[in-house]
Amino acid sequence: MLFISCEQTVLTESVVEPDNSTSIAFDTIQTFTEKPSGPKEARRLGQNNPASDFTATGLFVPPNTELTVYVEQLEPGSGVPRLLIGSYSRYLARWNPRSVDLTAGVQTISGDDLGGLLFIRYNANDASPLATGKIRIEFRQGHLPVPYYVLGKTSNAQWQTMLDTWTEAPDVILENSTNMIVASRSKALEYRTENQEELLQSLEEVSRAEYAISGIDNSSPQHATNVHKILLTETDRPDTYMAATFYRTWYHRNTMNFVLTVDAFRNNGWGPWHELGHMHQQGAWRWSTLGEVTVNIYSLAAERKMGISPSRLTRDGVWTRVMAYLDKPETEKDFNASTTNVFVRLAMFQQLWLAFGDNFYHRLHKETREQQVSLTTDAQKMRYFMLKACTISGKNLTTFFRKWGFKVDESVYLEIAALGLLAPNEDLTKKTDDPNWAN
């Protein structure tokens, strides 16, 4: 279940056109509820990367400007509310935001030569079983509004008025129930004629598809949606294309069309789908050679959700390389070798999906969350995955793994044999999603 942490309550500035359809306003009094931290949520979900555990205010502070706020504690909690100044990875000059602890009462925060967007991080202490706190913050002086599009609240006409009226901020924010986008004002102006509602709906569809393949179905607290959104931010870092790490994904300005245009995101959005996928990878079965492999389980789920067919594996001719690899003598195959292409490795995971469907990955993710295993070595993680794959599918997959060149201790294959499962009634290594290959 997603928690709404920002309640907009007091309108302090508005621009109203005669028909009121382009009325815009920003709030100087906002209410925030305490949440579990991003790392705590990542541990619950078994994920490597914490999501973006902070909330946009729709405000920014200019450089060299003092900011004055008034903080009121409405409900007690275990965490310390923090004001974040700046957005993760937006600027090399401030790669991580400046963090200021907030205390009850009036507080003046000194300016610096960077300024930045304002976010609130209000997370419970990780040792606390519950997040119960609630605060109200009044932004009194030093802040200015940014163009801030919220799906289901903001209209395209209002967005246009914001872009034309609130011109001081160098950045803008767009938001839906699962994500935040931070982009430069120049990119927002470049793509202002896009349908922002459709764009944010598409982004939400992709995010929901990636949650779905992860078995996030809200059937229990363990399988509930992450309470935090995932940030997609433009970056001014020149030596980058797209990337993901703790608390964010980021994109070079020349790739922002894949984030900010409906056609590119829906029909050619593998890049952002992939980066969002990094935020869902589970560490228990992501051994060292799979960083850029299992991430694309989620990209493929997004691709299916967007109705794109055939799959990228088919479009890029990967299956030809797969079959050439599989035709090698067993002694010449090593799944984890640096010479084994990442998309060839991905095909192994796709074959399991082709054989056993979405339910295979639903159960793999769910059982990993439920068991909360702590594994550190590649050998431990490979063993875990191989045994899970067999118990979840109900099949002895020894031949499948041997054909794929899984070089593990022979004891793992003995453990699989001890499960007493039958082998599949077909050769799973022959399965493809390419109609030109006989399956």
Side-chain angles (χ1 to χ4, degrees), residues 49-236:
N49 292 330
S52 310
D53 61 356
F54 42 88
T55 302
T57 66
L59 305 172
F60 89 106
V61 61
N64 303 308
T65 302
E66 281 191 345
L67 179 70
T68 301
V69 299
Y70 174 76
V71 180
E72 181 181 3
Q73 189 80 46
L74 301 178
E75 299 289 345
S78 62
V80 176
R82 294 179 170 90
L83 176 73
L84 302 185
I85 303 174
S87 181
Y88 280 99
S89 295
R90 174 67 187 96
Y91 296 104
L92 268 175
R94 175 166 277 161
W95 194 244
N96 295 318
R98 175 186 173 193
S99 180
V100 179
D101 289 0
L102 297 177
T103 57
V106 177
Q107 188 170 349
T108 297
I109 298 148
S110 62
D112 60 25
D113 59 356
L114 295 174
L117 296 175
L118 300 179
F119 299 88
I120 298 297
R121 172 177 272 152
Y122 187 28
N123 297 327
N125 186 297
D126 280 358
S128 176
L130 298 173
T132 59
K134 188 174 185 178
I135 60 170
R136 178 182 291 125
I137 300 177
E138 179 181 347
F139 295 87
R140 290 189 169 178
Q141 190 173 350
H143 61 279
L144 290 171
V146 302
Y148 183 22
Y149 192 106
V150 179
L151 181 65
K153 175 183 175 182
T154 311
S155 69
N156 183 265
Q158 289 171 323
W159 178 244
Q160 302 303 323
T161 301
M162 289 178 188
L163 291 175
D164 290 335
T165 306
W166 295 337
T167 60
E168 298 93 342
D171 297 323
V172 305
I173 305 171
L174 301 97
E175 184 172 281
N176 60 22
S177 69
T178 53
N179 304 94
M180 292 180 286
I181 298 174
V182 170
S184 63
R185 173 175 170 79
S186 63
K187 283 296 177 183
L189 292 173
E190 182 178 351
Y191 299 123
R192 69 184 303 168
T193 59
E194 287 290 314
N195 185 324
Q196 281 75 36
E197 181 173 0
E198 186 179 354
L199 175 69
L200 290 169
Q201 287 173 340
S202 299
L203 176 56
E204 194 166 286
E205 283 184 67
V206 162
S207 293
R208 295 295 181 192
E210 296 194 354
Y211 275 122
I213 199 66
S214 306
I216 299 292
D217 56 10
N218 296 309
S219 58
S220 72
Q222 191 71 53
H223 307 307
T225 304
N226 199 317
V227 300
H228 300 296
K229 301 181 182 185
I230 297 175
L231 172 67
L232 300 86
T233 185
E234 180 180 339
T235 184
D236 70 349

Side-chain angles (χ1 to χ4, degrees), residues 286-294 335-338 342 345 378:
R286 200 224 78 177
W287 55 93
S288 63
T289 64
L290 296 187
E292 295 301 323
V293 178
T294 56
F335 185 82
N336 293 317
S338 59
V342 293
R345 290 193 194 117
D378 281 2

